[in-house]
Amino acid sequence: FPQKESGAPATCMGPASTQDLNSSYGDGMAGECSRKPDQKLPELRGMGDLTMFSSDSSYLSSRGRMIKWFWDSAEEGYRTYHMDEYDEDKNPSGIINLGTSENKLCFDLLSERLSQQDMQWVEPSLLQYPDWRGHLFLREEVAKFLSFYCKSPAPLKPENVVVLNGCASLFSALATVLCEAGEAFLIPTPYYGAITQHVYLYGHVRLAYVYLDSEVTGTDTRPFQLTVEKLEMALQEANSKGVKVKGLILINPQNPLGDIYSPGELQEYLVFAKRHELHVIVDEVYMLSVFEDSVGYRSVLSLEGLPDPQRTHVMWATSKDFGMSGLRFGTLYTENQDVATAVASLCRYHGLSGLVQHQMAQLLRDRDWINQVYLPGNHARLKAACAYVSEELRALRIPFLSRGAGFFIWADLRKYLRKATFEEEMLLWRRFLHNKVLLSFGKAFECKEPGWFRFVFSDKAQRLRLGMQRVRQVLEGDAQMAEDPPPWQTQEPSDQCR
Amino acid sequence: MSHQSETCPVPSDQKPGQVLKDQSTYDQLLKMVLHLQWLVKKHFIQLEVTRRRQQLEGEKHAESICEQGNYLNLLMSKMVNVLRSGATSGLECQEYLPCLDSRDDVRSEQRAELSRQPDPLVPQLSDFEPAFVSHDLSNRGADISVLYHSSFQDYIAYQGDKFHEENNPLGFINLGTSENKLCIDLMIKRLSENDMNHIEDFLLQYPDWRGQPFLREEVAQFLTYYCRAPAQLDPENVVVLNGCCSVFSALAMVLCDPGEGFLVPTPVYGGFAFSSRLYAHVELIPVHLESEITEANTCPFQLTVDKLEQVLLEAKSKGKKVKGLILTNPQNPLGDIYSRDSLKEYLTFAKRYNLHVIIDEIYLLSVFDESITFHSVLSIKSLPDPNRTHMIWGTSKDFGISGFRFGVLYTHNKDVASAVGSFGYLHSISGIDQHKLSKLLHSREWIDSRYLPTNRSRLRDAHRYITKKLKELKIPFLYRGAGLYIWINLKKYLDPCTFEEEVLLLRRFRDNKLILSCGKAYMCKEPGWFRLVFAENSFRLRLAMRRFCQVLQEQKQSWIEKQLEESVKE
């Protein structure tokens, strides 16, 4: 049969749920904070005709030009930050990055652990072609690790584990094997914007948004609350536009809200998904970064009797919980062998080295170190850092959400926008950047309301203090800045580069 | 790529013991449905072809054809599944039984397969594999699964049952996968040295997705030196990803739109076919080379511009859009090396037709015959079309560390580099490994005076052994001085000389716990060629050759028996 994707990838989703793919360059470097508002992908129906926006290279295919666009459009935040990174000694006036969600609080603990003798093991099998699902010794370790930390009712099985080089790859692979090109996943917004790119680049899979509101009304007992009604509505809307929805993506603990779903809520969403035969991808990459014990986080793997285990796929990685985004280790847990096998079939392209697999197995196995050294240390530091930024925001009378999970606070800066538009949001973001502090703005998370920003607090106290000081300067001097002609435009980094 | 017919994954909901009453009816029905399935598929391909010819027609219509096609596909596959569960189930499981006498079953399976495959030379994307149906996967997800398992079945078997001197002396010896296992002692020693184990904050943080600058710097210097580049290579032209297949996959994505094609001289490394289908959906258009020496063909499988041009024009006349040319140098599986002049000719040809050239030099340092001078494309002073010339290299083969996952793109074209860079986060390498790799590439002294001389001499020894053995067996082969493998001709053991027989012989090797790869996997036009990897330690290599001889003996024996039987019949 002809392959579906051999035609134009276009599926019209209509303006409401159309993404402008305006989110970000991945959580790496640039963070979710970098794209110019005018640099938009065309609406999906325009996808066939790329000449209108894409780079002009005659050497690239049309999808190549589109892909390059992802790269180029990320450059503003990315380049600006990288040309001028803060360094205590060498560049004290450089940019402080509170935009990228990385845990920089525990390098001392990690580098000590990773430098120990057991990590340096090299043997032939580690240097040769592996089982593409991941070496068995590692998958066994992952299964034990997840059984313990997710509190699964029964031991998890190594054959349900697939290991690859990070969750980005995992999103890409899952999108490819679960959806045809042009089909979609539901995702509640605001959400970690890089997923857009993850599922699109290879998979040509779309996201259909479930927009959440900050306002607390009758049924919504807390801001940005996800309900089954909203899921139903979004699904219907997508269907009515002819978009085939194949699944639902849940991030728990949530990024950027820092919120977690209760077991009851989770169960409801899963039942909803089962009713519509949707896959559920649960991204639990912040699972061990819940630093308030009272929160009572529950992994989906801890639920007794999943409504639809064959369509429930869990992902986890060491990037966040072990603060090693540069290590590139992610894992899938699914009871569905077809899905595991199909994802593994793609792992030739998303493999990680045998040496790293060995190191990861050693790390995950070291329950004593994790329980007695790493987690207590990490949680205490996250708690202190979160408390500091919260205090600062309170002093500025800025409303924010923070529930004791993740590396970030979701702050409401709407009162600092002259008009409630995303252009204004972008202007405010530029003012922060100009004052040498990089944040992420709400549009990058597809937040419906302009004016929300994500503050990453998992950084060293000294940088955090300086960063918050710069934020304060911008917000307090805001009125004055707005009147002057904006001097930073002359130093627009993207202008310098091009 | 070799033999999809072998894979019939049993769907999970099918109970193996569940045999229905009247098997013969089911068998018949199954045959009919398979045939029907093939007809329907053909019909839809026809429809699609017609549609592409009349591009004016609305996209909507095409979508609906596609939808219908997929729906029918699904229904049909379900039917086949039901039938399979009732039909003789022996077909599915036989491949894991060490049955030396599986010829007849295999034949019938082959025949069924052949009727579904119009062109046995080109590996088909088995999007129609009837036994594999999962409601949970998308069609392409199921395709990927089937394609992978049919392509790498031997490899999967090997992974589950590897030979080990003490623990598993009856396990598989793998001379099918191109891996250099001769210098693993040197590599382990080097990788265990102190400079390798270094942790720094930034190595644990999000990297530059094109590769850490320190590593790209090192790669540029390394390639400048070993490829003898006329000028210092630029780190900004380097992108590093987790393996050459990732580099190729990303390149195919950014250079071609779905359905467009690359020219590729065959026989060629089967991974290209796999990679181009898996994600990129790019077609490989084979330029079939011939083993016979004629006036135009001064050596076996010679590539000439005439042949390239002919295939290109033919493809164009069929309405295909050809975007580039893939070259491997040193060639895999032939072990050939292109002279500087022929290389230039190919590049000039490509320029004439505005074709990109992807040149894979992954065996660059595995030229073990010192009388041969290898010319990297990066050594050419004035490339005909630098903006369309993209070079791939990696450490898997030359340093024998395929488990390390490291591949390099070098291109003068900044657009291509940055577009491929966008894929960096899907094909990234751990920061800790990037450090190790940069240290490895940096140790010029060790590479030049220790590693390379040892590696070459060990490859030479292994090559000498294998060629001697083949001569004894009177098996024709190509005598070359590069690569980890040798291209041999077992035509005389096939009767008749067909691709089905080739697969059967391959299976016979596997039944004797020896993995090889056959010509079909390299899109070779002539049945009977096999690739044998000799970069294995001498104990295993010797054992492997014993198994090899034994299989050929058996093959001969059964041929004689067949002859006898036939003469008795007459």
PDB file of all heavy atoms in Angstrom, chain A residues 1 25 62 120 129-130 179-180 198 203 336 349-350 353, chain B residues 69 136 139-140 155 179 197 209 257 275 425-427 433:
ATOM      1  N   PHE A   1       0.821  -1.215   0.000  1.00  0.00           N
ATOM      2  CA  PHE A   1       0.000   0.000   0.000  1.00  0.00           C
ATOM      3  C   PHE A   1       0.846   1.252   0.000  1.00  0.00           C
ATOM      4  O   PHE A   1       1.936   1.250   0.556  1.00  0.00           O
ATOM      5  CB  PHE A   1      -0.861   0.010   1.263  1.00  0.00           C
ATOM      6  CG  PHE A   1      -2.145  -0.684   1.070  1.00  0.00           C
ATOM      7  CD1 PHE A   1      -2.236  -1.758   0.220  1.00  0.00           C
ATOM      8  CD2 PHE A   1      -3.268  -0.255   1.714  1.00  0.00           C
ATOM      9  CE1 PHE A   1      -3.417  -2.405   0.036  1.00  0.00           C
ATOM     10  CE2 PHE A   1      -4.462  -0.906   1.533  1.00  0.00           C
ATOM     11  CZ  PHE A   1      -4.535  -1.987   0.697  1.00  0.00           C
ATOM     12  N   TYR A  25      13.067  25.321  21.294  1.00  0.00           N
ATOM     13  CA  TYR A  25      14.145  24.585  20.689  1.00  0.00           C
ATOM     14  C   TYR A  25      14.468  23.382  21.539  1.00  0.00           C
ATOM     15  O   TYR A  25      15.519  22.821  21.476  1.00  0.00           O
ATOM     16  CB  TYR A  25      15.318  25.554  20.606  1.00  0.00           C
ATOM     17  CG  TYR A  25      16.614  24.908  20.404  1.00  0.00           C
ATOM     18  CD1 TYR A  25      16.913  24.332  19.185  1.00  0.00           C
ATOM     19  CD2 TYR A  25      17.536  24.843  21.445  1.00  0.00           C
ATOM     20  CE1 TYR A  25      18.111  23.729  18.997  1.00  0.00           C
ATOM     21  CE2 TYR A  25      18.732  24.228  21.252  1.00  0.00           C
ATOM     22  CZ  TYR A  25      19.021  23.670  20.028  1.00  0.00           C
ATOM     23  OH  TYR A  25      20.212  23.058  19.843  1.00  0.00           O
ATOM     24  N   SER A  62      11.868  20.201   1.013  1.00  0.00           N
ATOM     25  CA  SER A  62      10.939  21.119   1.670  1.00  0.00           C
ATOM     26  C   SER A  62      10.823  20.778   3.153  1.00  0.00           C
ATOM     27  O   SER A  62      10.754  21.660   3.997  1.00  0.00           O
ATOM     28  CB  SER A  62       9.587  21.131   0.983  1.00  0.00           C
ATOM     29  OG  SER A  62       9.156  19.833   0.723  1.00  0.00           O
ATOM     30  N   GLN A 120      33.806   2.852  36.057  1.00  0.00           N
ATOM     31  CA  GLN A 120      34.821   2.905  34.987  1.00  0.00           C
ATOM     32  C   GLN A 120      34.974   1.579  34.263  1.00  0.00           C
ATOM     33  O   GLN A 120      35.943   1.374  33.563  1.00  0.00           O
ATOM     34  CB  GLN A 120      36.190   3.324  35.552  1.00  0.00           C
ATOM     35  CG  GLN A 120      36.157   4.343  36.658  1.00  0.00           C
ATOM     36  CD  GLN A 120      35.452   5.634  36.272  1.00  0.00           C
ATOM     37  OE1 GLN A 120      35.063   5.809  35.130  1.00  0.00           O
ATOM     38  NE2 GLN A 120      35.263   6.527  37.226  1.00  0.00           N
ATOM     39  N   TYR A 129      27.946  -4.079  19.237  1.00  0.00           N
ATOM     40  CA  TYR A 129      26.532  -3.829  18.986  1.00  0.00           C
ATOM     41  C   TYR A 129      25.698  -4.480  20.073  1.00  0.00           C
ATOM     42  O   TYR A 129      25.901  -5.637  20.412  1.00  0.00           O
ATOM     43  CB  TYR A 129      26.114  -4.398  17.638  1.00  0.00           C
ATOM     44  CG  TYR A 129      26.521  -3.556  16.462  1.00  0.00           C
ATOM     45  CD1 TYR A 129      27.358  -4.061  15.483  1.00  0.00           C
ATOM     46  CD2 TYR A 129      26.050  -2.254  16.321  1.00  0.00           C
ATOM     47  CE1 TYR A 129      27.728  -3.289  14.386  1.00  0.00           C
ATOM     48  CE2 TYR A 129      26.414  -1.482  15.230  1.00  0.00           C
ATOM     49  CZ  TYR A 129      27.252  -1.998  14.268  1.00  0.00           C
ATOM     50  OH  TYR A 129      27.615  -1.249  13.193  1.00  0.00           O
ATOM     51  N   PRO A 130      24.766  -3.732  20.605  1.00  0.00           N
ATOM     52  CA  PRO A 130      23.960  -4.231  21.725  1.00  0.00           C
ATOM     53  C   PRO A 130      22.631  -4.825  21.271  1.00  0.00           C
ATOM     54  O   PRO A 130      22.304  -4.810  20.092  1.00  0.00           O
ATOM     55  CB  PRO A 130      23.683  -2.949  22.490  1.00  0.00           C
ATOM     56  CG  PRO A 130      23.535  -1.918  21.428  1.00  0.00           C
ATOM     57  CD  PRO A 130      24.434  -2.337  20.291  1.00  0.00           C
ATOM     58  N   CYS A 179       0.969   6.579  15.841  1.00  0.00           N
ATOM     59  CA  CYS A 179       0.145   7.428  14.974  1.00  0.00           C
ATOM     60  C   CYS A 179       0.622   7.372  13.535  1.00  0.00           C
ATOM     61  O   CYS A 179       1.802   7.160  13.278  1.00  0.00           O
ATOM     62  CB  CYS A 179       0.240   8.894  15.399  1.00  0.00           C
ATOM     63  SG  CYS A 179      -0.151   9.218  17.091  1.00  0.00           S
ATOM     64  N   GLU A 180      -0.303   7.627  12.636  1.00  0.00           N
ATOM     65  CA  GLU A 180       0.094   7.900  11.257  1.00  0.00           C
ATOM     66  C   GLU A 180       0.465   9.383  11.180  1.00  0.00           C
ATOM     67  O   GLU A 180       0.104  10.167  12.054  1.00  0.00           O
ATOM     68  CB  GLU A 180      -1.072   7.634  10.291  1.00  0.00           C
ATOM     69  CG  GLU A 180      -1.760   6.299  10.441  1.00  0.00           C
ATOM     70  CD  GLU A 180      -0.850   5.098  10.188  1.00  0.00           C
ATOM     71  OE1 GLU A 180       0.233   5.283   9.602  1.00  0.00           O
ATOM     72  OE2 GLU A 180      -1.217   3.988  10.617  1.00  0.00           O
ATOM     73  N   HIS A 198       9.368  17.222  19.298  1.00  0.00           N
ATOM     74  CA  HIS A 198       9.698  15.804  19.439  1.00  0.00           C
ATOM     75  C   HIS A 198       8.784  14.931  18.584  1.00  0.00           C
ATOM     76  O   HIS A 198       9.239  14.021  17.919  1.00  0.00           O
ATOM     77  CB  HIS A 198       9.543  15.339  20.895  1.00  0.00           C
ATOM     78  CG  HIS A 198      10.437  16.044  21.871  1.00  0.00           C
ATOM     79  ND1 HIS A 198      11.565  16.718  21.492  1.00  0.00           N
ATOM     80  CD2 HIS A 198      10.364  16.164  23.208  1.00  0.00           C
ATOM     81  CE1 HIS A 198      12.151  17.226  22.557  1.00  0.00           C
ATOM     82  NE2 HIS A 198      11.442  16.906  23.616  1.00  0.00           N
ATOM     83  N   GLY A 203       7.985  12.099  13.202  1.00  0.00           N
ATOM     84  CA  GLY A 203       6.685  11.450  13.203  1.00  0.00           C
ATOM     85  C   GLY A 203       5.597  12.196  12.457  1.00  0.00           C
ATOM     86  O   GLY A 203       4.600  11.618  12.078  1.00  0.00           O
ATOM     87  N   ASN A 336       2.563  -3.372  26.746  1.00  0.00           N
ATOM     88  CA  ASN A 336       2.206  -3.743  25.390  1.00  0.00           C
ATOM     89  C   ASN A 336       3.462  -4.148  24.614  1.00  0.00           C
ATOM     90  O   ASN A 336       4.292  -3.314  24.265  1.00  0.00           O
ATOM     91  CB  ASN A 336       1.527  -2.552  24.709  1.00  0.00           C
ATOM     92  CG  ASN A 336       0.934  -2.923  23.377  1.00  0.00           C
ATOM     93  OD1 ASN A 336       1.536  -3.673  22.612  1.00  0.00           O
ATOM     94  ND2 ASN A 336      -0.249  -2.407  23.101  1.00  0.00           N
ATOM     95  N   TYR A 349      18.558   3.970  16.055  1.00  0.00           N
ATOM     96  CA  TYR A 349      18.760   5.394  15.817  1.00  0.00           C
ATOM     97  C   TYR A 349      18.773   6.199  17.100  1.00  0.00           C
ATOM     98  O   TYR A 349      19.048   7.383  17.075  1.00  0.00           O
ATOM     99  CB  TYR A 349      17.671   5.923  14.875  1.00  0.00           C
ATOM    100  CG  TYR A 349      17.707   5.172  13.585  1.00  0.00           C
ATOM    101  CD1 TYR A 349      17.013   3.979  13.446  1.00  0.00           C
ATOM    102  CD2 TYR A 349      18.526   5.590  12.551  1.00  0.00           C
ATOM    103  CE1 TYR A 349      17.109   3.238  12.293  1.00  0.00           C
ATOM    104  CE2 TYR A 349      18.629   4.858  11.395  1.00  0.00           C
ATOM    105  CZ  TYR A 349      17.922   3.678  11.276  1.00  0.00           C
ATOM    106  OH  TYR A 349      18.032   2.935  10.131  1.00  0.00           O
ATOM    107  N   HIS A 350      18.424   5.561  18.184  1.00  0.00           N
ATOM    108  CA  HIS A 350      18.339   6.309  19.437  1.00  0.00           C
ATOM    109  C   HIS A 350      19.060   5.565  20.547  1.00  0.00           C
ATOM    110  O   HIS A 350      18.636   5.589  21.696  1.00  0.00           O
ATOM    111  CB  HIS A 350      16.876   6.532  19.817  1.00  0.00           C
ATOM    112  CG  HIS A 350      16.056   7.122  18.713  1.00  0.00           C
ATOM    113  ND1 HIS A 350      16.270   8.398  18.241  1.00  0.00           N
ATOM    114  CD2 HIS A 350      15.059   6.614  17.957  1.00  0.00           C
ATOM    115  CE1 HIS A 350      15.420   8.637  17.245  1.00  0.00           C
ATOM    116  NE2 HIS A 350      14.680   7.570  17.067  1.00  0.00           N
ATOM    117  N   SER A 353      25.436   4.516  24.476  1.00  0.00           N
ATOM    118  CA  SER A 353      26.619   3.670  24.471  1.00  0.00           C
ATOM    119  C   SER A 353      26.574   2.649  25.592  1.00  0.00           C
ATOM    120  O   SER A 353      25.928   2.847  26.625  1.00  0.00           O
ATOM    121  CB  SER A 353      27.868   4.536  24.595  1.00  0.00           C
ATOM    122  OG  SER A 353      28.255   4.637  25.934  1.00  0.00           O
TER     123      SER A 353
ATOM    124  N   GLY B  69      -7.476   2.158   1.415  1.00  0.00           N
ATOM    125  CA  GLY B  69      -6.413   1.172   1.305  1.00  0.00           C
ATOM    126  C   GLY B  69      -6.041   0.632   2.664  1.00  0.00           C
ATOM    127  O   GLY B  69      -5.974  -0.579   2.869  1.00  0.00           O
ATOM    128  N   ASP B 136      -2.899  -1.732  18.388  1.00  0.00           N
ATOM    129  CA  ASP B 136      -2.323  -0.651  19.167  1.00  0.00           C
ATOM    130  C   ASP B 136      -1.308   0.150  18.372  1.00  0.00           C
ATOM    131  O   ASP B 136      -0.966   1.249  18.743  1.00  0.00           O
ATOM    132  CB  ASP B 136      -1.664  -1.221  20.418  1.00  0.00           C
ATOM    133  CG  ASP B 136      -2.692  -1.926  21.283  1.00  0.00           C
ATOM    134  OD1 ASP B 136      -3.806  -1.392  21.388  1.00  0.00           O
ATOM    135  OD2 ASP B 136      -2.392  -3.005  21.804  1.00  0.00           O
ATOM    136  N   ASN B 139      -0.203   1.897  11.316  1.00  0.00           N
ATOM    137  CA  ASN B 139       0.266   1.051  10.214  1.00  0.00           C
ATOM    138  C   ASN B 139       1.774   1.150  10.056  1.00  0.00           C
ATOM    139  O   ASN B 139       2.461   0.160   9.887  1.00  0.00           O
ATOM    140  CB  ASN B 139      -0.390   1.466   8.902  1.00  0.00           C
ATOM    141  CG  ASN B 139      -1.856   1.128   8.898  1.00  0.00           C
ATOM    142  OD1 ASN B 139      -2.276   0.184   9.567  1.00  0.00           O
ATOM    143  ND2 ASN B 139      -2.640   1.904   8.190  1.00  0.00           N
ATOM    144  N   ARG B 140       2.255   2.394  10.133  1.00  0.00           N
ATOM    145  CA  ARG B 140       3.700   2.515   9.944  1.00  0.00           C
ATOM    146  C   ARG B 140       4.447   1.913  11.119  1.00  0.00           C
ATOM    147  O   ARG B 140       5.546   1.403  10.953  1.00  0.00           O
ATOM    148  CB  ARG B 140       4.089   3.966   9.714  1.00  0.00           C
ATOM    149  CG  ARG B 140       3.782   4.884  10.863  1.00  0.00           C
ATOM    150  CD  ARG B 140       4.230   6.306  10.551  1.00  0.00           C
ATOM    151  NE  ARG B 140       3.900   7.171  11.674  1.00  0.00           N
ATOM    152  CZ  ARG B 140       4.087   8.474  11.666  1.00  0.00           C
ATOM    153  NH1 ARG B 140       4.595   9.056  10.613  1.00  0.00           N
ATOM    154  NH2 ARG B 140       3.776   9.203  12.716  1.00  0.00           N
ATOM    155  N   TYR B 155      20.453 -11.402  13.473  1.00  0.00           N
ATOM    156  CA  TYR B 155      21.126 -10.638  14.515  1.00  0.00           C
ATOM    157  C   TYR B 155      20.433 -10.835  15.859  1.00  0.00           C
ATOM    158  O   TYR B 155      21.075 -11.005  16.895  1.00  0.00           O
ATOM    159  CB  TYR B 155      21.141  -9.156  14.130  1.00  0.00           C
ATOM    160  CG  TYR B 155      21.737  -8.262  15.170  1.00  0.00           C
ATOM    161  CD1 TYR B 155      23.122  -8.227  15.348  1.00  0.00           C
ATOM    162  CD2 TYR B 155      20.934  -7.480  15.996  1.00  0.00           C
ATOM    163  CE1 TYR B 155      23.682  -7.425  16.312  1.00  0.00           C
ATOM    164  CE2 TYR B 155      21.490  -6.676  16.962  1.00  0.00           C
ATOM    165  CZ  TYR B 155      22.855  -6.634  17.122  1.00  0.00           C
ATOM    166  OH  TYR B 155      23.409  -5.846  18.084  1.00  0.00           O
ATOM    167  N   GLU B 179      31.658  -6.175  12.377  1.00  0.00           N
ATOM    168  CA  GLU B 179      32.231  -5.621  13.604  1.00  0.00           C
ATOM    169  C   GLU B 179      33.686  -6.025  13.672  1.00  0.00           C
ATOM    170  O   GLU B 179      34.033  -7.161  13.350  1.00  0.00           O
ATOM    171  CB  GLU B 179      31.513  -6.198  14.832  1.00  0.00           C
ATOM    172  CG  GLU B 179      30.411  -5.329  15.339  1.00  0.00           C
ATOM    173  CD  GLU B 179      29.861  -5.793  16.688  1.00  0.00           C
ATOM    174  OE1 GLU B 179      29.432  -6.947  16.788  1.00  0.00           O
ATOM    175  OE2 GLU B 179      29.841  -4.982  17.613  1.00  0.00           O
ATOM    176  N   ASN B 197      38.195   9.104  32.348  1.00  0.00           N
ATOM    177  CA  ASN B 197      37.157   9.222  33.371  1.00  0.00           C
ATOM    178  C   ASN B 197      37.160  10.615  33.956  1.00  0.00           C
ATOM    179  O   ASN B 197      37.887  10.914  34.882  1.00  0.00           O
ATOM    180  CB  ASN B 197      37.403   8.189  34.460  1.00  0.00           C
ATOM    181  CG  ASN B 197      37.425   6.812  33.858  1.00  0.00           C
ATOM    182  OD1 ASN B 197      36.556   6.485  33.047  1.00  0.00           O
ATOM    183  ND2 ASN B 197      38.426   6.035  34.203  1.00  0.00           N
ATOM    184  N   TRP B 209      23.471  20.641  20.572  1.00  0.00           N
ATOM    185  CA  TRP B 209      22.945  19.418  19.962  1.00  0.00           C
ATOM    186  C   TRP B 209      23.719  18.963  18.730  1.00  0.00           C
ATOM    187  O   TRP B 209      23.549  17.847  18.258  1.00  0.00           O
ATOM    188  CB  TRP B 209      21.460  19.566  19.637  1.00  0.00           C
ATOM    189  CG  TRP B 209      20.627  19.723  20.862  1.00  0.00           C
ATOM    190  CD1 TRP B 209      19.920  20.831  21.219  1.00  0.00           C
ATOM    191  CD2 TRP B 209      20.415  18.769  21.911  1.00  0.00           C
ATOM    192  NE1 TRP B 209      19.295  20.621  22.421  1.00  0.00           N
ATOM    193  CE2 TRP B 209      19.569  19.363  22.867  1.00  0.00           C
ATOM    194  CE3 TRP B 209      20.860  17.464  22.137  1.00  0.00           C
ATOM    195  CZ2 TRP B 209      19.156  18.713  24.022  1.00  0.00           C
ATOM    196  CZ3 TRP B 209      20.449  16.814  23.296  1.00  0.00           C
ATOM    197  CH2 TRP B 209      19.610  17.436  24.215  1.00  0.00           C
ATOM    198  N   ASP B 257      12.360  14.817   0.067  1.00  0.00           N
ATOM    199  CA  ASP B 257      10.990  14.701   0.543  1.00  0.00           C
ATOM    200  C   ASP B 257      10.554  13.254   0.337  1.00  0.00           C
ATOM    201  O   ASP B 257      11.154  12.528  -0.451  1.00  0.00           O
ATOM    202  CB  ASP B 257      10.102  15.691  -0.199  1.00  0.00           C
ATOM    203  CG  ASP B 257      10.322  17.099   0.338  1.00  0.00           C
ATOM    204  OD1 ASP B 257      10.339  17.254   1.569  1.00  0.00           O
ATOM    205  OD2 ASP B 257      10.503  18.036  -0.464  1.00  0.00           O
ATOM    206  N   SER B 275      17.527   2.308   6.664  1.00  0.00           N
ATOM    207  CA  SER B 275      17.432   3.666   7.189  1.00  0.00           C
ATOM    208  C   SER B 275      16.557   4.558   6.323  1.00  0.00           C
ATOM    209  O   SER B 275      15.835   5.406   6.831  1.00  0.00           O
ATOM    210  CB  SER B 275      18.814   4.305   7.285  1.00  0.00           C
ATOM    211  OG  SER B 275      19.592   3.636   8.233  1.00  0.00           O
ATOM    212  N   TYR B 425      18.974  16.365  19.096  1.00  0.00           N
ATOM    213  CA  TYR B 425      18.457  15.923  20.389  1.00  0.00           C
ATOM    214  C   TYR B 425      17.731  14.581  20.325  1.00  0.00           C
ATOM    215  O   TYR B 425      17.467  13.973  21.347  1.00  0.00           O
ATOM    216  CB  TYR B 425      17.603  17.017  21.032  1.00  0.00           C
ATOM    217  CG  TYR B 425      16.286  17.238  20.370  1.00  0.00           C
ATOM    218  CD1 TYR B 425      15.105  17.047  21.066  1.00  0.00           C
ATOM    219  CD2 TYR B 425      16.230  17.636  19.053  1.00  0.00           C
ATOM    220  CE1 TYR B 425      13.904  17.238  20.449  1.00  0.00           C
ATOM    221  CE2 TYR B 425      15.028  17.833  18.434  1.00  0.00           C
ATOM    222  CZ  TYR B 425      13.870  17.634  19.127  1.00  0.00           C
ATOM    223  OH  TYR B 425      12.671  17.808  18.509  1.00  0.00           O
ATOM    224  N   LEU B 426      17.458  14.109  19.097  1.00  0.00           N
ATOM    225  CA  LEU B 426      16.904  12.766  18.974  1.00  0.00           C
ATOM    226  C   LEU B 426      18.003  11.725  18.786  1.00  0.00           C
ATOM    227  O   LEU B 426      17.753  10.534  18.825  1.00  0.00           O
ATOM    228  CB  LEU B 426      15.934  12.693  17.794  1.00  0.00           C
ATOM    229  CG  LEU B 426      14.721  13.604  17.874  1.00  0.00           C
ATOM    230  CD1 LEU B 426      13.835  13.425  16.660  1.00  0.00           C
ATOM    231  CD2 LEU B 426      13.921  13.336  19.128  1.00  0.00           C
ATOM    232  N   HIS B 427      19.209  12.185  18.534  1.00  0.00           N
ATOM    233  CA  HIS B 427      20.314  11.251  18.267  1.00  0.00           C
ATOM    234  C   HIS B 427      21.549  11.666  19.056  1.00  0.00           C
ATOM    235  O   HIS B 427      22.655  11.643  18.555  1.00  0.00           O
ATOM    236  CB  HIS B 427      20.668  11.251  16.789  1.00  0.00           C
ATOM    237  CG  HIS B 427      19.526  10.912  15.879  1.00  0.00           C
ATOM    238  ND1 HIS B 427      18.908   9.686  15.904  1.00  0.00           N
ATOM    239  CD2 HIS B 427      18.895  11.621  14.932  1.00  0.00           C
ATOM    240  CE1 HIS B 427      17.940   9.675  14.994  1.00  0.00           C
ATOM    241  NE2 HIS B 427      17.912  10.836  14.405  1.00  0.00           N
ATOM    242  N   ASP B 433      30.519  10.407  27.298  1.00  0.00           N
ATOM    243  CA  ASP B 433      31.097   9.733  26.136  1.00  0.00           C
ATOM    244  C   ASP B 433      31.747  10.724  25.183  1.00  0.00           C
ATOM    245  O   ASP B 433      32.744  10.404  24.542  1.00  0.00           O
ATOM    246  CB  ASP B 433      30.012   8.958  25.388  1.00  0.00           C
ATOM    247  CG  ASP B 433      29.680   7.659  26.092  1.00  0.00           C
ATOM    248  OD1 ASP B 433      30.429   7.288  27.008  1.00  0.00           O
ATOM    249  OD2 ASP B 433      28.669   7.041  25.736  1.00  0.00           O
TER     250      ASP B 433
END
